[in-house]
Amino acid sequence: MIGITKSEFENSLFRQDVVEYYLNMPREKIEYKFGNIVSDMIGFNQNNPHHCYDLFEHTLRTVTDMPTGELSDKEIKLVKIAAFLHDVSKPKIAKEVSGKIIYQGNEKESARMARDFLTELGYEQLEINRICFLITHINDFLYY
């Protein structure tokens, strides 16, 4: 059970101070609002030279930094939601291989976890499918 509504969630992603807003929120409140799907990201070290923040801060900065170009407001909303949920599986699937942490299947597992979360929030199936597609292909869009 999560303690945030769909509109609260969406509005929070459009805050100018979304990074500071959530980083200053106690972990217990994050867990109440989102459950473990999000609170498990807090303090999670990705052990990757390309990531200088813990997973939660990385996620929040992805939400604010995601290029939206000529997208409509509705499309921007879907991109921000996908950015927020794109790495939720990392704490669950992290494995050490030859002294390095890998996240094999991260995109697909994050999409699966996001599907359950979004269903609980009351998103329609078409929106869920679009968001999960974006999650599954987020790196393609970032590198394109």
Side-chain angles (χ1 to χ4, degrees):
M1 180 94 182
I2 53 179
I4 194 168
T5 66
K6 178 181 173 182
S7 62
E8 273 183 293
F9 172 54
E10 291 175 359
N11 290 337
S12 75
L13 299 180
F14 282 91
R15 291 177 63 110
Q16 291 295 318
D17 66 340
V18 67
V19 175
E20 294 79 16
Y21 175 71
Y22 280 120
L23 288 181
N24 290 318
M25 193 174 286
R27 182 186 183 109
E28 296 78 24
K29 190 168 183 180
I30 301 274
E31 189 167 344
Y32 167 75
K33 286 180 173 283
F34 298 103
N36 291 343
I37 189 173
V38 173
S39 67
D40 285 351
M41 293 193 294
I42 298 171
F44 184 83
N45 183 344
Q46 298 181 77
N47 293 313
N48 183 314
H50 302 290
H51 295 301
C52 60
Y53 304 109
D54 79 339
L55 182 57
F56 189 53
E57 186 169 350
H58 159 78
T59 294
L60 296 171
R61 291 184 183 282
T62 302
V63 169
T64 61
D65 296 342
M66 191 59 111
T68 53
E70 301 292 320
L71 300 178
S72 70
D73 289 345
K74 183 177 181 178
E75 291 166 330
I76 292 170
K77 175 186 76 170
L78 297 178
V79 166
K80 286 184 175 285
I81 294 167
F84 188 81
L85 298 169
H86 81 281
D87 276 341
V88 294
S89 72
K90 279 188 172 181
K92 179 181 175 185
I93 66 167
K95 291 182 182 167
E96 185 174 338
V97 176
S98 302
K100 294 182 181 180
I101 305 296
I102 63 164
Y103 307 99
Q104 192 169 22
N106 174 55
E107 292 86 359
K108 287 182 182 179
E109 183 61 16
S110 289
R112 187 198 64 73
M113 291 171 70
R115 186 173 295 283
D116 294 340
F117 175 78
L118 296 167
T119 299
E120 188 171 346
L121 273 178
Y123 281 85
E124 295 179 16
Q125 195 61 49
L126 182 60
E127 286 179 303
I128 293 171
N129 290 343
R130 288 180 175 162
I131 293 165
C132 289
F133 174 84
L134 292 171
I135 291 169
T136 303
H137 296 281
I138 197 161
N139 289 323
D140 299 339
F141 296 118
L142 286 174
Y143 298 118
Y144 179 74

